[in-house]
Amino acid sequence: MIWIKGFFRKATTKVYFFVLCFLFIGIYLLNAFTNYYTNLLNNVFRESTVLYVVGQNDYYNTISKYKSIESIEEALIFTPNYECKTLAREGQVIQDGATSSIISNIPSEDLLRLTWEELVAIRKGNQIFVLPSDELKGNEIRLSFNTQRYYDVPLSTLYDKPLNIIYNSTEYNFVIKEIVHSRFPEIHISREKFNEIKEYRSVYAYKILMNSYYDAQSILKKLNEKEENSDFSVSLNRVETRNGKYDMNGLIEMTGILRMVSLVATIVLILVFCVIIKNIISEEKERMRLQYSLGYNKNQSKIIAFIELFILLILVILMALLVSALLIMWIKDSQNISLELFDFSFLAQIVVISIIIISTFLLSLKRYL
């Protein structure tokens, strides 16, 4: 106990204490802001983005291991049948980029009607996602899409009209049961019909909802590395919400900056902590020699040093946590930003890393005794 009291009475120990407190407070606040904006990004991502995966290989097991997956729905990929005039075709002009000459000119309809293009989920190949529904029977079909405009021809007039779509060059005939608003374009058919058509599928397709932007980026990267087939498609489709409070691109940029700054700050903290621990041990070498002359062995001296450094670490964390909590409450009241008050997972990581550093220096301690 005498050795520990003497350690904390030293002026250098007090200086190290305040330096570490300052660094820990900065790291803790950075982590709180990073978590706050990451959660905002994930909330906006969850509400406005869907992940589509289409390929000749089944990637269900690769995808399903992510904890941020909210749902995985198996789908079939249909293509529009423009010969079926129940739906219109969007006007389109394609020009040559070099000469500006018109390559293709598809005139728009005279009347504003629901178009095939509004049901396309993936623009590459005009792919329509078809999902099973237990609410539909026989050849009934439900059209779902994000309604963004007024139609001259009311959507209700399309009920009970025929709709023919193509799968693997085969035309399938359905009857429109209903048309509903949804975040993403898709078509539902009866599960019985879905399973019947699935027997002839040539590709695997999934509609995936996730609640983590960065997990989705990880999936995109892994699947694109695995698949070399040109027919393979993995894409994030985003729907811009009309009343969105936060801009997703802005949140992506903000979280990216905060994550980078937090990483750099953490590396700086670890380096400074290593230097401080090394300096403390260097300053304590005379005391350790005195302990050795009084009958202490090397292990006992190391245990005393470990206790001193561990107590210093705990005091630093407690002080930093107290000051950080007061600052977070002030930010919450003055700026209306709900930062997380206590991040026990982050604190546990700090403690574990610090103990590893302290133990490493003490275990390698030979020349001081």
Side-chain angles (χ1 to χ4, degrees):
M1 185 62 69
I2 295 174
W3 303 111
I4 295 175
K5 287 182 179 179
F7 172 75
F8 283 100
R9 285 178 184 151
K10 293 171 61 175
T12 52
T13 301
K14 295 175 183 178
V15 171
Y16 295 145
F17 173 80
F18 285 110
V19 170
L20 289 174
C21 278
F22 177 78
L23 289 173
F24 271 80
I25 291 169
I27 292 293
Y28 193 84
L29 289 177
L30 268 175
N31 179 72
F33 275 101
T34 302
N35 288 342
Y36 172 76
Y37 282 103
T38 300
N39 289 334
L40 283 181
L41 171 61
N42 288 338
N43 288 336
V44 174
F45 175 82
R46 177 180 177 274
E47 292 298 322
S48 63
T49 312
V50 61
L51 176 65
Y52 294 122
V53 176
V54 181
Q56 291 185 337
N57 298 312
D58 190 356
Y59 295 105
Y60 181 87
N61 291 332
T62 302
I63 299 167
S64 60
K65 69 178 183 179
Y66 287 84
K67 294 181 179 179
S68 59
I69 296 286
E70 290 196 344
S71 66
I72 303 178
E73 294 184 80
E74 189 179 18
L76 297 173
I77 302 300
F78 281 66
T79 54
N81 180 8
Y82 296 118
E83 298 301 319
C84 177
K85 300 302 180 181
T86 300
L87 302 184
R89 188 170 186 185
E90 203 171 68
Q92 186 180 45
V93 176
I94 302 176
Q95 291 182 299
D96 187 295
T99 63
S100 297
S101 59
I102 296 176
I103 299 174
S104 174
N105 186 359
I106 302 173
S108 60
E109 301 283 335
D110 293 332
L111 294 176
L112 190 58
R113 298 194 290 135
L114 176 62
T115 66
W116 283 104
E117 285 74 12
E118 288 177 271
L119 297 175
V120 170
I122 300 178
R123 292 297 175 182
K124 177 184 176 181
N126 288 330
Q127 297 175 334
I128 298 175
F129 263 60
V130 177
L131 305 168
S133 171
D134 294 321
E135 299 173 357
L136 300 173
K137 295 179 291 185
N139 288 338
E140 294 177 339
I141 193 170
R142 178 170 64 234
L143 312 183
S144 307
F145 64 102
N146 195 344
T147 308
Q148 297 288 346
R149 60 179 181 172
Y150 171 80
Y151 298 93
D152 292 339
V153 178
L155 295 178
S156 58
T157 61
L158 297 177
Y159 288 9
D160 298 326
K161 292 289 182 67
L163 186 70
N164 307 326
I165 50 182
I166 298 173
Y167 184 77
N168 281 348
S169 302
T170 301
E171 183 178 293
Y172 291 88
N173 304 317
F174 295 92
V175 175
I176 299 175
K177 172 69 173 180
E178 59 181 342
I179 302 174
V180 299
H181 175 85
S182 66
R183 288 183 293 167
F184 312 107
E186 57 197 25
I187 287 177
H188 286 87
I189 61 177
S190 68
R191 188 170 296 277
E192 177 185 1
K193 195 68 177 178
F194 181 92
N195 290 334
E196 175 187 326
I197 299 174
K198 189 175 72 171
E199 296 296 323
Y200 305 98
R201 70 179 173 190
S202 57
V203 297
Y204 295 90
Y206 294 100
K207 171 194 172 185
I208 304 158
L209 297 180
M210 304 183 66
N211 57 27
S212 171
Y213 168 81
Y214 289 103
D215 273 0
Q217 302 306 309
S218 178
I219 287 179
L220 284 173
K221 182 180 178 181
K222 284 188 176 182
L223 295 188
N224 280 319
E225 288 174 350
K226 285 187 174 184
E227 184 67 57
E228 297 180 355
N229 193 302
S230 60
D231 294 329
F232 173 73
S233 174
V234 53
S235 63
L236 283 172
N237 285 29
R238 187 187 309 175
V239 175
E240 298 295 339
T241 55
R242 293 179 177 178
N243 300 317
K245 182 180 178 182
Y246 299 100
D247 174 58
M248 188 165 171
N249 290 328
L251 289 173
I252 292 171
E253 182 178 357
M254 176 64 75
T255 54
I257 293 172
L258 286 172
R259 285 161 71 96
M260 180 60 67
V261 173
S262 294
L263 176 61
V264 172
T266 301
I267 293 173
V268 170
L269 173 62
I270 291 173
L271 292 176
V272 172
F273 189 74
C274 288
V275 171
I276 288 176
I277 297 302
K278 184 177 182 298
N279 288 344
I280 289 175
I281 293 176
S282 297
E283 292 171 2
E284 291 291 292
K285 63 181 179 180
E286 291 299 329
R287 190 211 64 190
M288 292 179 181
R289 286 172 181 164
L290 177 59
Q291 289 173 342
Y292 186 65
S293 65
L294 292 175
Y296 289 84
N297 59 39
K298 293 181 180 180
N299 288 333
Q300 288 174 324
S301 293
K302 289 180 180 180
I303 290 172
I304 292 173
F306 179 83
I307 293 173
E308 291 171 349
L309 294 173
F310 183 75
I311 293 175
L312 176 63
L313 172 64
I314 295 302
L315 291 176
V316 166
I317 291 177
L318 290 176
M319 178 58 71
L321 189 59
L322 175 61
V323 175
S324 298
L326 292 174
L327 289 173
I328 287 173
M329 287 188 289
W330 175 78
I331 292 171
K332 182 177 181 180
D333 291 337
S334 61
Q335 305 298 321
N336 196 29
I337 298 178
S338 299
L339 301 179
E340 189 176 3
L341 194 58
F342 298 110
D343 188 343
F344 293 106
S345 175
F346 181 69
L347 289 173
Q349 292 176 28
I350 290 178
V351 172
V352 170
I353 292 173
S354 301
I355 291 176
I356 291 174
I357 293 172
I358 293 171
S359 301
T360 301
F361 274 98
L362 289 174
L363 288 174
S364 62
L365 180 61
K366 292 181 180 179
R367 59 191 179 90
Y368 295 140
L369 298 177

